[in-house]
Amino acid sequence: MAKGATDRSPQTALLAHFKETEEQVRRPEEAAQILDIRPTGKKCIGMQGCVEEGSEALEADGDETVLDLGIVGAGTRVEHYEMAGYMTAIGLAQSIANREVVALLKASLAEEEGAD
């Protein structure tokens, strides 16, 4: 999405958050090790929808400012979806009183909130 934005502000923010995302991928893997579980994955249809909306924003024609706002809006929806997931995972980690996992997940949540 960063490539599709014409204004440098969303470009810069999206690229910076992409680097944070790489670290966020590592944290759940670390949490799984702490909990001595094997992480598994499942395709998230909701997130897929958010990504598809972002793609639509990139393909639209029109005023550059309006198009940039569409890209920002699509990014915001992705961030909110991710934040909801982290909040749920934090609640689960709190319910088993695992402070180390809570801290890992809260670090990612804080990054998502900053990106939002």
Side-chain angles (χ1 to χ4, degrees):
M1 287 196 304
K3 292 177 185 177
T6 57
D7 187 278
R8 294 190 63 69
S9 180
Q11 285 177 345
T12 302
L14 288 164
L15 290 172
H17 187 56
F18 180 75
K19 291 180 182 179
E20 287 178 332
T21 300
E22 293 173 342
E23 180 67 13
Q24 290 171 353
V25 169
R26 183 197 61 75
R27 289 186 188 122
E29 293 169 353
E30 186 177 343
Q33 286 180 333
I34 293 166
L35 298 170
D36 195 29
I37 60 174
R38 185 175 158 263
T40 59
K42 180 180 171 185
K43 186 175 189 174
C44 178
I45 295 169
M47 183 59 79
Q48 180 181 347
C50 290
V51 171
E52 287 173 8
E53 287 180 2
S55 294
E56 289 173 10
L58 292 173
E59 295 169 6
D61 293 320
D63 179 80
E64 288 182 351
T65 301
V66 173
L67 296 175
D68 282 348
L69 288 170
I71 291 168
V72 169
T76 298
R77 285 187 293 281
V78 168
E79 298 312 315
H80 284 220
Y81 203 93
E82 291 174 332
M83 287 187 288
Y86 282 118
M87 287 186 268
T88 300
I90 289 166
L92 291 169
Q94 288 171 332
S95 74
I96 61 169
N98 193 307
R99 291 185 181 130
E100 192 174 3
V101 172
V102 168
L104 285 169
L105 297 170
K106 281 187 174 183
S108 291
L109 176 60
E111 290 168 353
E112 297 300 347
E113 291 169 338
D116 179 44

